[in-house]
Amino acid sequence: MTDADTAADTSADIDIEALRQRALTTLTTARDRTTLLTSCVDEPELTAQVSPLMSPLVWDLAHIGNQEELWLLRAVGGRDAMRPDIDGLYDAFEHPRSERPSLPLLPPAEARQYAAEVRGRVTDVLESHAFRGTRLTEMGFAFGMVAQHEQQHDETMLITHQLRTGPQALTAPDPEPVPLFTGPSEVLVPGGPFTMGTSTEPWALDNERPAHRREVAPFYIDTTPVTNGAYLAFIEDGGYDDPRWWTKEGWAHIRRNSLTAPGFWRREAGQWLRRRFGVTEVVPQDEPVVHVCWYEADAYARWAGRRLPTEAEWEKAARHDPTADRSMRYPWGDADPAPEHANLGQRHLRPAPAGSYPEGESPLGVRQLIGDVWEWTSSDFLPYPGFKAFPYKEYSEVFFGPEYKVLRGGSFAVDEVACRGTFRNWDYPIRRQIFSGFRTARSGAV
């Protein structure tokens, strides 16, 4: 058996009550986080747009409720539409983010009431749901999809909080301090085939499917993500002033936008500072670098004499167990994430120091592949062989192409329901308001 997915439960022998409880728990966890992110600022900040890249927080709040109504009440529950008049307002493809502040959006109190009323009715649907019948309902897929959708918007709202000015609005404890990591800087991943993607992970999204075999040549990959300290060496060596390290498009981008350091960094009184959720602090040397775009990650890798890993290389490093010759759900195995495995779920508002979470490392000893920072890969966002759009082509299919680069692994802002070894994220190579970092690789021989 080469893929942990082949051992997954089938709908014939599932525990309906356990699945119902899982759906309720994940939906509740997401809503609790949404409430936190929208209750820590006052109404003017909920309705303001802090950047043309982001929606007002109140749009995200009502959009979350509207998508839940569309999929869980109407599509799964067969209920009549509650607010068909607002469907267009909260259609992400009908209105780009830059236009949303000018729309007649629900005010905060009404948006909260609407989302709460939807959730109450969804709870009723869930209590009698059979989790069988159609692909949308099988194994509770629709409930998992909606929970993932809300958590993804929670991450988006957390980005909005990072972009806002003004005093600190969110707090969380820091990750546990760890000794300076002194392990090997890189790990050899043997060449050969492995199983990429999934066909049976119940709540996996369409772009993660189907499972298929990939051949990967041997390569070395960084044991931990690239740190602020390592990235600072690139800056101080004139990395942002030397076109040798940049693609033509990347060089034009940093010149046009006067980029000289990661997002939210500034140099003052001889030291590098950063702004993090309303707090200004000295840049910590041992944390993974965050808020860098793909062009910056690629330039650093070139400067270091290395490259970004391909998406297939990243997933093999994260999932493949060479001893058992199988692909696991996560680097540490098939068990759901626990706090000792990874920095997820907004438990902290920063990445953990490089080398943290030894219990979450892969069989080959690669650490922090899940959580902390999204990791840029060299790959364009493309469909897997045999891809089929589900349940709608706008989730993935319309984004396939060379204009988007793939990110893997999640960040401290990602909940576990929206993060697994097969999960794929994508964005434009210029984006760096996201919680993005990277690790590097190089080709190698056995």
Side-chain angles (χ1 to χ4, degrees):
M1 191 174 297
T2 59
D3 185 0
D5 288 331
T6 61
D9 289 342
T10 65
S11 59
D13 56 1
I14 61 171
D15 183 334
I16 294 293
E17 288 308 313
L19 190 53
R20 182 175 288 117
Q21 185 57 50
R22 183 189 178 205
L24 179 61
T25 298
T26 53
L27 288 169
T28 301
T29 298
R31 185 53 48 85
D32 288 346
R33 187 177 175 197
T34 300
T35 300
L36 171 65
L37 290 163
T38 55
S39 64
C40 61
V41 292
D42 57 20
E43 184 166 321
E45 288 204 74
L46 287 175
T47 57
Q49 185 179 47
V50 302
S51 164
L53 296 174
M54 311 305 293
S55 307
L57 291 172
V58 73
W59 185 92
D60 287 290
L61 175 58
H63 171 75
I64 285 167
N66 184 246
Q67 289 295 296
E68 188 166 327
E69 182 194 346
L70 288 172
W71 289 104
L72 298 187
L73 290 187
R74 301 185 204 175
V76 173
R79 306 289 183 89
D80 292 336
M82 291 173 55
R83 293 293 304 267
D85 56 307
I86 66 172
D87 288 353
L89 289 177
Y90 297 102
D91 185 330
F93 286 88
E94 188 171 331
H95 301 289
R97 289 175 177 177
S98 59
E99 296 179 1
R100 292 171 190 171
S102 64
L103 300 174
L105 303 177
L106 299 182
E110 191 173 349
R112 287 193 182 97
Q113 182 179 358
Y114 168 63
E117 186 174 352
V118 170
R119 177 55 57 84
R121 298 186 185 189
V122 164
T123 302
D124 291 339
V125 170
L126 182 59
E127 286 178 354
S128 58
H129 185 57
F131 298 102
R132 291 188 177 91
T134 68
R135 185 176 172 190
L136 188 63
T137 58
E138 196 80 17
M139 295 292 290
F141 174 82
F143 296 93
M145 179 184 72
V146 167
Q148 290 176 82
H149 173 265
E150 181 162 355
Q151 286 286 3
Q152 288 169 313
H153 274 272
D154 288 340
E155 182 177 10
T156 298
M157 289 193 284
L158 189 61
I159 293 169
T160 299
H161 275 277
Q162 170 63 14
L163 287 165
R164 65 181 283 275
T165 58
Q168 182 180 19
L170 293 167
T171 60
D174 286 341
E176 289 293 322
V178 298
L180 182 67
F181 180 69
T182 57
S185 62
E186 63 179 2
V187 168
L188 174 64
V189 180
F194 82 107
T195 299
M196 186 171 185
T198 178
S199 294
T200 56
E201 181 74 28
W203 291 357
L205 303 172
D206 60 1
N207 63 65
E208 301 170 65
R209 300 171 182 269
H212 59 287
R213 295 292 276 175
R214 285 284 184 97
E215 184 80 25
V216 175
F219 67 98
Y220 290 89
I221 192 166
D222 290 339
T223 307
T224 69
V226 171
T227 64
N228 291 321
Y231 197 86
L232 185 57
F234 168 66
I235 297 173
E236 293 179 340
D237 194 44
Y240 280 86
D241 301 313
D242 193 336
R244 287 183 298 165
W245 314 127
W246 302 82
T247 63
K248 179 181 177 181
E249 297 79 8
W251 183 249
H253 175 68
I254 68 161
R255 296 290 99 185
R256 184 168 55 248
N257 293 279
S258 301
L259 302 186
T260 59
F264 309 103
W265 284 32
R266 74 174 190 270
R267 190 162 178 81
E268 186 175 294
Q271 62 182 348
W272 283 98
L273 306 176
R274 73 174 180 188
R275 180 170 58 82
R276 183 179 59 83
F277 298 108
V279 175
T280 297
E281 61 189 14
V282 175
V283 171
Q285 300 280 305
D286 60 345
E287 278 186 17
V289 67
V290 65
H291 298 303
V292 290
C293 69
W294 185 90
Y295 292 128
E296 291 169 295
D298 179 67
Y300 172 94
R302 293 168 187 258
W303 168 82
R306 298 171 68 83
R307 59 177 174 79
L308 296 179
T310 67
E311 182 182 14
E313 288 174 335
W314 188 97
E315 186 166 325
K316 185 169 187 181
R319 296 186 64 210
H320 186 63
D321 180 352
T323 301
D325 187 26
R326 73 182 190 105
S327 289
M328 306 179 297
R329 297 178 66 215
Y330 297 96
W332 55 85
D334 298 332
D336 290 339
E340 65 270 19
H341 292 137
N343 181 8
L344 292 167
Q346 201 181 310
R347 291 196 311 271
H348 313 296
L349 290 171
R350 64 197 306 155
S356 296
Y357 305 107
E359 292 185 52
E361 71 178 21
S362 74
L364 294 172
V366 188
R367 296 194 181 185
Q368 291 169 284
L369 285 157
I370 298 294
D372 286 308
V373 292
W374 285 107
E375 298 184 15
W376 289 109
T377 72
S378 64
S379 299
D380 299 334
F381 184 49
L382 299 172
Y384 289 160
F387 167 85
K388 294 181 181 179
F390 178 79
Y392 55 100
K393 69 179 182 178
E394 289 81 7
Y395 182 76
S396 300
E397 186 174 325
V398 298
F399 298 102
F400 290 143
E403 61 266 42
Y404 293 97
K405 293 295 186 182
V406 173
L407 302 102
R408 299 298 296 262
S411 72
F412 65 86
V414 176
D415 184 80
E416 65 175 79
V417 74
C419 184
R420 51 195 159 261
T422 57
F423 193 93
R424 308 172 75 195
N425 191 8
W426 66 94
D427 216 326
Y428 291 113
I430 63 172
R431 293 290 186 247
R432 62 180 195 162
Q433 82 277 11
I434 59 179
F435 301 110
S436 52
F438 64 102
R439 72 180 73 215
T440 67
R442 67 181 175 94
S443 301
V446 176

